[in-house]
Amino acid sequence: MAYPAHRVADVVLRDGSTVRVRPVRASDQEALHGFLDALSEEARWLRFFSGATDMGKAARWAADVDYRDRYGLVATTGPEDRIVAHAAYTRAGERAEISFEVADDHRGRGVGTILLAHLAEHAAASGIATLEASVLPVNHRMIEVFRESGFPVQMRAEPGMIHVEFPASLTPEALDRFEGRDRAAAVAAVRGFLHPRAVAVIGASRARGTIGGETFHNLLATGFSGPVYPVNPKAGVVQSVLAYPSVRDIPGPVDLAVIVVPAAAVEDMARECAEKGVRALVVISSGFSEVGGEGAARQRRLVEVCRENGMRLIGPNCLGILNTDPEVRLNATFVPEFPPPGRVGFLSQSGALGIAVINSATALGMGLSQFVSAGNKADLSGNDFIQYWEADEGTGLILLYLESFGNPRKFARIARRVSRAKPIVAVKSGRSAAGARATSSHTGAMLAASDVTVDALFRQTGAIRTDTLAEMFDVAALLANQPLPPGNRVAIVTNAGGPAILCADACESNGLSVPPLPEEARARLRSFLPPEASTGNPVDMIASAPAEGYRRAIAAVAACEEIDAIIAIFIPPLVTRGEDVAREIRAAADELPRAIPVLAVMMSAGGAGDVLRAGRSPIPSYSFPEDAARALSRAARHADWRRRPEGGVRSFADARRGEAAAVIAAGEGTRWLGPDEVATLLSCYGVPLVEWRLAAYAAEAGRAARALGGPVALKGVAPSLVHKTEAGGVRLGLRGAATVSRAAAEIGEQVERAGHRVERFLVQRMAPPGVEMFVGMVHDPVFGPVVACGAGGTAVELLHDVAVRITPLTDLDASEMIHSLATFPLLDGYRGAPRADVAALEEILARVSALVEEHAEIAEMDLNPVIVLPDGACVVDARVRVDLARRDSPVTARLPG
């Protein structure tokens, strides 16, 4: 077999450092010999059961691989690609024996566990069912690796030996364990940036107003808790601080280096940092992948330097980082504003917008815990920082400005977990056309040039997507300071009817409810409001309402269990002051009998915002009622998502995975599967297809119809024919062999006039009448398999009633997809029709998800129509395109790295 280059991965170890995991090459023999020779005597004895093993012979064995029956991996590090670990298996039928060696200086850092996962994944993909190993009883470290791996390990004692055995396939428990280790590694890596003990600014300038000058000044001005070293070979002193010509000349240790030099010099500076032992680099300099060409090559070389030396990188082309923790006070940016401390972590992919974010947060009094400008995300990305903030007790809300996703599948897993405890609010730019995909199927046509995939990602993970930065701050002000609403029922308290009507309309249009207040609440309101006031909902206290009226009205409506949130609106009349009203709203919120959010709309009431933010739970203030309604609707939807059960991804024991893989691999390159191949592939995963026969010519089609009995459907099969109906390639409800034979001849002629040549005919038993639905899939180059479900039949693209999710689907994802459709009433007994078997359609979605998740070569799939009956469901027509160049494994994507 050819060298499996797609198995190469840079992975993060337990301490936040990195190694490269790759398959062994024959040329590694000499390096393997040196690695084995360097093992301690104890390590060699534990591995080879003897201290006298010929290491040269062992190295020759380790380098002798065929990537199927004999497979090996190495973990390497440093500029010389030094091997620090080796793992291998040797196959015997459906079983394989595995072995490991880890360099003494890399033990206890998780290398063995990572190699085990990658080795098992390749073994499973190669058809190996069981892995086994023989371990000396005193090899406690190796035994612990197996026990803690998450695999269902079986151990049995034999004379002088322990035999270990476990399935090669990665179980959900094993994947959870590996993700836990990945999470710990991400936290360790990010902590090195946000909690450094000493910082060097390489390119620190004496001139204020320059990036190097301002970055160094900010570190000093904000009172960073450790030493700050300026590095400038042309200056002995920078801003009254002794400077050093090189980072290597600094007498003390340096944890974090901020590099602000021309792009061409960054690589050399990074190498000097490696020699100094620096572990974290923030590269503010631009001129890398964002400019293409040489800049992209320059960035690749920079990343290689970091990988080789165990350093982590933020940027390049970034604004920098800051941490407001009073014990740290790190401002490694060139922004003069240092925001107040708070519980909001903010990641921005755009440096320019980062400046606006910091300034806006400061102006709004919104405290930040940390701010990170990710820049080009050459190494650390949003996924790493989300996991750090998940573990950070000082962060309760995560804000993201994203321009692209590096690993959206990993984002989906992380965000789904984190959103259960800490809200994630994101602005993802690019709602315009994403660019046409080279697709021919209905699914591809509906998903191409759209933003539905990104929306699906946020919907599945519970992350809150906003359209603008202003809306992000509106939502953040609410989530950072007020409890989540227990429901979607809103009470509006106002002194002017017009804004209240606008607010009620905005609430209803955004999925909130403004219900009438119960009589008991209205009676309480009438006890102190003038007769002209409205005690319904909205509660209009009229313009003459005094400031204390807000306090009493909020208390009255908050006592209603039927209300989940309160929006208070104030327009300044001639007498009442906005600050006084804000004070009363503030007091009312502090006295609430239960935890519900309170929002204020202070229209043309300058200065009121400061009063609202002064309490123990600051009240978000908005300039217009629509802004408050939108923010509250986002919070209510997020709260509803949290209340739902998490759901689970099903695994199908009856799936014939090996047979499915053989069907896919039968051809070469990119191709549409034939109808017999499609039928076999679907049957491997239990997706029901109507009974069918394949005929080579017209007369044989007639005989096939006679064998099936009853009315049949007849379809022409041509390699280039995707949409058969448009080309006249379909006849329905045919009876009798002669009728079918004549129809087959007519189809052949008509399809040929449309520019295609019919090679075969598909004869199918007519499905019973039911609801026509559509299930499809397209393999997005960034997001992986994307599954769609909607109204089916020939008008599928015209109706465009479709729900989209990214695999793997949970059982709840499948249910929500179907129930969200505008045409769902057709499945639910519309106008007296019998209810369709929705559970059967959910089953098909779950099985399709498993099929495309486990076979990454499937590029497109259309099941249209899927007939949903009162009892069961079946696929009537199916098309599948495979691309054998798409060998990246979705399982490998779940492993650390």
Side-chain angles (χ1 to χ4, degrees), residues 119-338:
L119 200 67
E121 197 282 328
H122 184 82
S126 300
I128 294 171
T130 303
L131 297 175
E132 56 188 359
S134 297
V135 184
L136 289 172
V138 296
N139 195 349
H140 304 297
R141 193 184 297 272
M142 197 68 246
I143 293 171
E144 192 65 17
V145 167
F146 288 124
R147 287 190 189 279
E148 295 298 318
S149 66
F151 287 93
V153 174
Q154 294 182 344
M155 297 189 182
R156 68 173 185 271
E158 297 178 348
M161 200 71 62
I162 293 178
H163 184 79
V164 179
E165 184 176 300
F166 55 93
S169 58
L170 290 164
T171 64
E173 182 185 1
L175 289 169
D176 287 343
R177 294 282 184 91
F178 290 123
E179 287 179 3
R181 294 182 179 97
D182 186 45
R183 182 161 64 246
V187 170
V190 173
R191 185 173 178 81
F193 286 88
L194 295 176
H195 293 265
R197 293 164 298 178
V199 179
V201 179
I202 301 174
S205 174
R206 292 172 292 186
R208 295 290 307 278
T210 63
I211 294 177
E214 291 304 306
T215 302
F216 181 68
H217 171 77
N218 288 344
L219 282 162
L220 297 178
T222 53
F224 173 62
S225 59
V228 181
Y229 301 108
V231 176
N232 186 330
K234 297 180 180 180
V237 174
V238 172
Q239 299 182 35
S240 302
V241 179
L242 181 67
Y244 299 88
S246 167
V247 69
R248 295 172 298 193
D249 299 320
I250 295 172
V254 175
D255 297 321
L256 170 66
V258 182
I259 300 180
V260 196
V261 299
V266 168
E267 182 181 344
D268 289 339
M269 297 302 101
R271 292 190 185 280
E272 291 186 10
C273 288
E275 292 176 31
K276 177 63 179 174
V278 177
R279 296 293 299 277
L281 300 185
V282 173
V283 178
I284 293 178
S285 310
S286 58
F288 292 86
S289 65
E290 77 278 5
V291 300
E294 173 56 28
R298 187 180 292 127
Q299 181 167 305
R300 286 193 295 271
R301 293 195 299 270
L302 172 62
V303 172
E304 283 299 317
V305 170
C306 293
R307 290 280 187 266
E308 290 167 357
N309 294 281
M311 296 186 296
R312 304 308 304 271
L313 168 69
I314 291 178
N317 185 37
C318 72
L319 178 67
I321 61 176
L322 62 81
N323 183 356
T324 65
D325 184 340
E327 300 297 319
V328 181
R329 293 191 62 82
L330 172 75
N331 185 3
T333 75
F334 50 90
V335 182
E337 298 285 350
F338 191 65

Side-chain angles (χ1 to χ4, degrees), residues 517-536 539-541 546 548-549 551-557 559:
L517 295 177
E519 181 54 36
E520 181 182 355
R522 301 185 69 174
R524 285 195 296 269
L525 291 166
R526 284 194 297 267
S527 70
F528 63 88
L529 292 178
E532 299 85 358
S534 170
T535 59
V539 177
D540 184 359
M541 302 185 296
E548 61 266 24
R551 184 174 187 170
R552 299 178 71 181
I554 290 172
V557 297

